Amino acid sequence: MNRSAPRQPAGTPSDLIDERLTAQVGLTGHWRGFANRIRRGDLGSLPVVAGLVIIFCVMFVLNDNFLSARNLVNLTLQASTTGVIALGVVFVLLVGQIDLSVGSVSGVAASVTAIFYVGLGLPLALAVLGATLTGCLIGGFYSLIFNRFGVPSFVISLAGLLGFQGLQLYVLSPYGRAVNLPFDSFLVQFASGLFLPAWLSYLLVVAAALGYFLTGFARARERRAANLSAAGTPAIVVRAVLLGVGLAIGAVLLNQGRGVGYMFAFFIALVLIGHYALTRTRWGRSVYAVGGNVEAARRAGIKVKAVYRSCFVLCSGLAAVGGVLAAARLTSASATTGTGDVNLNAIAAAVIGGCSLFGGRGGAFAALLGVAVIQSISNGLVLLNLDSSIRFMVTGVVLLIAVILDSVARRSRSSHGVA
């Protein structure tokens, strides 16, 4: 007996025209669709947000100073430098590549800034620009080797890690391997002494929530105009309100201390710019296409080599900016700047935040969420007077859990035909 499948009602969006799919309408439908995505393995930022809440609760129970305004302000400043570097790592992970040398590049950039500004007496803006361009040139060199000779990015950046550590030692040798930055310079004050007025931080919270609603509403309208399914207006309003409430709580807590630092606000601005570029521009769609299936992207007419080049340049350029900020916060560029656990923390932050090591999955907010997890663990264990060895082991376990979740989610999406 031939039994025909039920047809979708008239007006069904074209991406739900398959009779096995169902349109989700209203807040209830939106929640049902969210649950379905979880079952298919499309976890999004849910694991890292849940983990962050658990970490905050555990650390607060073990030490009530963890959520004090003073400690939270320090936490945001500590997270900013690594977060900027992790944001660059996000771009190369999205195209399925890796950069193991971000720490060394940040150290070279910090040394260039200090030598140009203090050693040669050049204007500060010129010194920072020179350091950033140095990072971009390194990324351009990586992409040249990658595109021209097909050398794996793992090998290129591993060689860069060693080579640029040597370059950092070489350029600092005439200065005794350390150059101190003037404490009263704008760069040092920007990194640790300047904070937004309270009214401005609240105004930015309102602007962020309003901006989220407007961009979400515009995106939904564009999808409906193209006869595609889209989130309803009530669901977008709920998300914007939740975002605003969360940011407002953070702003209130920080303003009870010194407030929101300029450097942290700068990091958040970079994340928002990165999010806009990835989600609202043609370049961003090309990045996800290359990371999802490079051969399909090439056949679709995307200039794959140019996409790789832009991601490597952005990664090294942001590593340079992070290195300049790290030197400013420590008021010094030395032979140890960018060494130690900088590479580990930056790459781990991007992965823990939700960027897939297989490419094509993740976003700019992964840098913010991931560095919040890593820095919260580090800060909390320091408050508990535990050794750094414990911090490394805990961070390693969290990173392993994140990779396992990514692998399991990818397998689940593949089994549901949505990978």
Side-chain angles (χ1 to χ4, degrees):
M1 180 177 178
N2 186 17
R3 191 177 289 179
S4 61
R7 292 181 177 277
Q8 292 283 24
T12 301
S14 59
D15 59 331
L16 298 178
I17 204 70
D18 191 323
E19 62 274 7
R20 292 169 297 182
L21 302 175
T22 55
Q24 310 296 343
V25 180
L27 280 177
T28 305
H30 184 74
W31 171 255
R32 196 178 298 122
F34 175 74
N36 288 335
R37 288 196 298 275
I38 297 296
R39 278 195 290 270
R40 291 198 304 262
D42 191 1
L43 302 178
S45 301
L46 184 63
V48 66
V49 172
L52 198 57
V53 171
I54 293 172
I55 290 170
F56 269 61
C57 292
V58 170
M59 291 300 177
F60 177 68
V61 169
L62 296 176
N63 190 321
D64 54 4
N65 283 327
F66 180 75
L67 288 183
S68 66
R70 179 179 179 182
N71 187 57
L72 288 177
V73 172
N74 289 333
L75 188 60
T76 57
L77 296 179
Q78 291 166 359
S80 297
T81 56
T82 306
V84 171
I85 300 174
L87 179 60
V89 176
V90 165
F91 292 116
V92 290
L93 287 182
L94 284 177
V95 292
Q97 301 303 321
I98 189 75
D99 187 343
L100 299 176
S101 68
V102 286
S104 299
V105 174
S106 71
V108 169
S111 304
V112 169
T113 303
I115 292 172
F116 278 14
Y117 182 48
V118 178
L120 303 179
L122 297 177
L124 177 60
L126 197 59
V128 173
L129 180 63
T132 307
L133 286 177
T134 301
C136 293
L137 287 174
I138 292 172
F141 175 71
Y142 285 173
S143 66
L144 178 66
I145 301 295
F146 180 79
N147 286 330
R148 187 72 180 270
F149 303 106
V151 180
S153 57
F154 173 84
V155 178
I156 300 171
S157 56
L158 186 60
L161 183 152
L162 298 172
F164 291 117
Q165 271 188 359
L167 178 63
Q168 182 181 356
L169 293 173
Y170 179 78
V171 299
L172 284 174
S173 293
Y175 301 89
R177 296 196 171 183
V179 179
N180 294 325
L181 296 171
F183 185 77
D184 58 350
S185 65
F186 174 77
L187 185 60
V188 174
Q189 291 299 310
F190 178 84
S192 57
L194 293 176
F195 295 86
L196 297 177
W199 64 268
L200 182 56
S201 63
Y202 296 132
L203 184 64
L204 291 176
V205 168
V206 174
L210 187 61
Y212 181 86
F213 169 76
L214 291 177
T215 54
F217 184 77
R219 180 178 174 80
R221 190 171 59 180
E222 289 175 1
R223 287 183 64 83
R224 288 194 196 95
N227 196 27
L228 296 172
S229 60
T233 303
I236 300 173
V237 170
V238 169
R239 289 182 192 171
V241 169
L242 289 175
L243 175 66
V245 170
L247 292 177
I249 292 174
V252 168
L253 291 173
L254 292 176
N255 284 326
Q256 289 177 357
R258 287 182 289 172
V260 180
Y262 273 34
M263 186 167 67
F264 183 64
F266 175 69
F267 168 49
I268 297 296
L270 288 179
V271 170
L272 292 176
I273 292 171
H275 176 72
Y276 179 84
L278 286 172
T279 58
R280 303 290 295 172
T281 67
R282 185 176 180 180
W283 173 80
R285 290 190 287 274
S286 300
V287 168
Y288 283 108
V290 172
N293 189 322
V294 63
E295 188 54 36
R298 182 178 288 110
R299 294 186 180 187
I302 294 175
K303 296 179 179 177
V304 173
K305 289 185 178 180
V307 173
Y308 280 131
R309 186 184 308 117
S310 63
C311 290
F312 277 113
V313 169
L314 275 173
C315 180
S316 296
L318 286 170
V321 174
V324 172
L325 294 176
R329 189 161 184 276
L330 298 174
T331 68
S332 171
S334 68
T336 59
T337 305
T339 58
D341 57 359
V342 175
N343 270 328
L344 163 71
N345 285 343
I347 297 172
V351 176
I352 291 172
C355 264
S356 173
L357 287 168
F358 303 101
R361 289 268 171 181
F365 281 100
L368 177 62
L369 293 171
V371 80
V373 169
I374 287 182
Q375 207 61 52
S376 298
I377 293 173
S378 174
N379 183 277
L381 295 181
V382 169
L383 287 178
L384 295 174
N385 290 323
L386 294 177
D387 191 74
S388 59
S389 59
I390 304 296
R391 177 168 59 85
F392 283 129
M393 287 189 282
V394 172
T395 305
V397 169
V398 173
L399 176 61
L400 182 61
I401 292 173
V403 174
I404 290 174
L405 278 176
D406 176 40
S407 183
V408 171
R410 179 182 174 85
R411 192 177 302 170
S412 176
R413 290 195 301 270
S414 179
S415 66
H416 285 82
V418 293

